[in-house]
């Protein structure tokens, strides 16, 4: 069983919200439906991000914002991992698995308007900009990584699937190091309107956006769309030890499943989530009783959160009373294709530091359950033996992923 070294990098804004991913839950005055988005603050001020300062105008012409975010986070992750190989063999032994959940609809709309003015007005890089695999491609090109060059686009499970696939590439002996994760930057009037038409977004707290995303809470009414990225570096254990790499946690297992029920709604009995968790635990070769923390997908939708809790309790059975469930989406919103990897990074940090992150805005749980929670405050994590966690991620089309991660023991 190979063991990995997840290293993460986030675009941060510490002032925006405690425990957040760099996003600021902000009223969007240009929209009159949901009106809320968890945006990376743009500008030149403190805790603001200026993308133009990171790339030349010619570089920005070739990439969408999600790709730019992924490139910046990758640089941070590789610096932290101290892995920027110059040797050709090492470059061939390093791969990339980074996905994007949704293409930039602003790019599509803008290009369509440009086409009305004439063929020559269309950006020749329009197609590369909107292809979901271009974040992985740009990273591979920048650093000369010639290992697996992989991209997955499975809606809101994208980031978790990317990490799981990277894990399998290493375990299968195809490479020793993988740069992996997901990126998303698709907040636009069209995207907001479309999700509102699905009745997926929160609309009841437009005047107090910091309270809108409230996983598991009785008054939840939908998710808050976010943007950003998180990049992890996974590494085969012998390889990591040989170069004295900093090891945050150990990747144990990966499970996938399909609901096979509905385009946007999960199966009511939670079968898909149960199968993904069960397969991750079996892949890890552990007993479910060893799990004491589950980082939930919980997006703050009435149906989805309730079904996930039902699935977790069904899967954990009599061990449910020993499990704490948390969703960090109350702090940073729902990053769609970058949700699973961002929350996997939080899970890794929880393992490393023995602290379970809080579920913000959880005031009144609307489900009777034996499971434990961390409402509005972090919780010390002191299991009997080692810290073992599951990270769930689910997406439209009934696609499910689950990662099993634990603290590293020599």
């Amino acid at each position: 069983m190979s063991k990995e070294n997840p290293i993460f990098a986030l675009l941060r804004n510490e002032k925006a919200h405690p425990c957040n991913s760099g996003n600021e839950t902000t009223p969007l005055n240009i929209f009159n439906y949901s009106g809320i988005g968890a945006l990376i603050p743009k500008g030149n001020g403190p805790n603001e991000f200026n993308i133009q300062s990171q790339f030349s105008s010619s570089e920005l012409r070739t990439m969408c914002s999600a790709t730019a975010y992924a490139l910046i986070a990758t640089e941070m992750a590789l610096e932290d991992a101290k892995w920027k190989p110059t040797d050709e063999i090492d470059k061939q032994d390093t791969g990339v698995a980074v996905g994007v959940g949704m293409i930039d609809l602003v790019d599509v709309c803008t290009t369509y308007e440009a086409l009305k003015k004439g063929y020559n007005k269309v950006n020749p890089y329009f197609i590369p900009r909107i292809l979901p695999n271009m974040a992985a491609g740009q990273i591979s090109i920048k650093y000369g990584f010639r290992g697996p060059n992989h991209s997955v686009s499975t809606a809101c499970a994208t980031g978790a699937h990317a990490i799981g696939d990277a894990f399998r590439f290493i375990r299968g002996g195809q490479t020793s190091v993988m740069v992996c994760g997901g990126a998303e930057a698709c907040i636009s009037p069209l995207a907001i309107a479309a999700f509102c038409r699905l009745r997926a977004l929160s609309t009841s707290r437009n005047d107090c956006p910091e309270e809108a995303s409230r996983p598991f809470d009785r008054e939840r009414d939908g998710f808050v769309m976010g943007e950003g990225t998180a990049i992890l570096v996974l590494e085969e254990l012998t390889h990591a030890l040989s170069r004295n790499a900093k090891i945050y946690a150990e990747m144990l297992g990966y499970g996938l499943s399909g609901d096979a029920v509905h385009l946007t709604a999960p199966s009511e009995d939670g079968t898909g989530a149960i199968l993904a968790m069960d397969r991750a635990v079996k892949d890890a070769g552990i007993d479910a009783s060893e799990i004491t923390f589950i980082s939930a997908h919980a997006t703050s939708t009435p149906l989805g959160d309730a079904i996930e809790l039902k699935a977790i309790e069904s899967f954990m059975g009599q061990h449910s009373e020993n499990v704490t469930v948390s969703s960090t989406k109350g702090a940073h919103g729902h990053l769609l294709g970058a949700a699973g990897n961002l929350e996997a990074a939080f899970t890794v940090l929880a393992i490393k530091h023995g602290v379970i992150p809080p579920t913000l805005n959880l005031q009144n749980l609307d489900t009777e359950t034996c499971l434990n929670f961390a409402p509005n405050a972090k919780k010390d994590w002191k299991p009997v033996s080692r810290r073992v966690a599951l990270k769930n991620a689910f997406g439209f089309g009934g696609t499910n992923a689950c990662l099993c991660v634990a603290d590293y023991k020599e």
Side-chain angles (χ1 to χ4, degrees), residues 42-44 49-57 59-60 65 68 72:
K42 312 300 193 301
N44 294 308
F49 174 66
N50 183 352
I51 196 170
Q52 282 78 24
S53 68
Q54 304 291 322
F55 302 94
S56 68
S57 57
E59 287 174 326
L60 287 173
S65 295
I72 294 167

Side-chain angles (χ1 to χ4, degrees), residues 65-78:
S65 295
T67 295
Y69 294 163
L71 282 165
I72 294 167
T74 296
E75 176 68 17
M76 296 165 68
L78 292 173

Side-chain angles (χ1 to χ4, degrees), residues 28 44 112 140 199 203 208 233 278 298 371:
L28 302 175
N44 294 308
Y112 177 68
S140 174
R199 291 180 169 80
T203 59
C208 46
V233 176
D278 184 57
L371 296 163

Side-chain angles (χ1 to χ4, degrees), residues 112 182 266 323 400:
Y112 177 68
V323 176
N400 308 304

Side-chain angles (χ1 to χ4, degrees), residues 3-48:
K3 300 176 181 179
E4 281 69 33
N5 168 25
I7 311 294
F8 83 101
L10 305 174
L11 299 173
R12 293 187 179 274
N13 171 22
E14 302 296 349
K15 291 178 65 178
H17 211 298
C19 190
N20 103 0
S21 66
N23 293 5
E24 185 172 33
T25 309
T26 308
L28 302 175
N29 296 327
I30 58 172
F31 307 148
N32 56 12
Y33 353 100
S34 171
I36 301 174
L39 293 161
I40 293 175
K42 312 300 193 301
N44 294 308
N47 301 308
E48 292 182 333

Side-chain angles (χ1 to χ4, degrees), residues 266-316:
S267 53
E268 291 186 6
D269 59 2
T271 301
I274 293 170
L275 285 171
M277 289 186 285
D278 184 57
R279 289 166 182 168
V281 168
K282 287 177 178 176
D283 189 47
I286 64 171
D287 190 88
S289 62
E290 296 181 53
I291 299 160
T292 49
F293 170 46
I294 295 180
S295 175
H297 179 69
T299 63
S300 186
T301 59
L303 184 64
D305 291 15
I307 290 176
E308 184 174 7
L309 286 183
K310 179 180 178 181
I312 291 171
E313 189 164 23
S314 177
F315 174 66
M316 293 303 303

Side-chain angles (χ1 to χ4, degrees), residues 37 45 51 77 138 152 243 325 329 346:
I51 196 170
Q138 291 261 20
V152 57
R243 65 181 194 87
V325 178
K329 288 186 176 75
F346 287 143

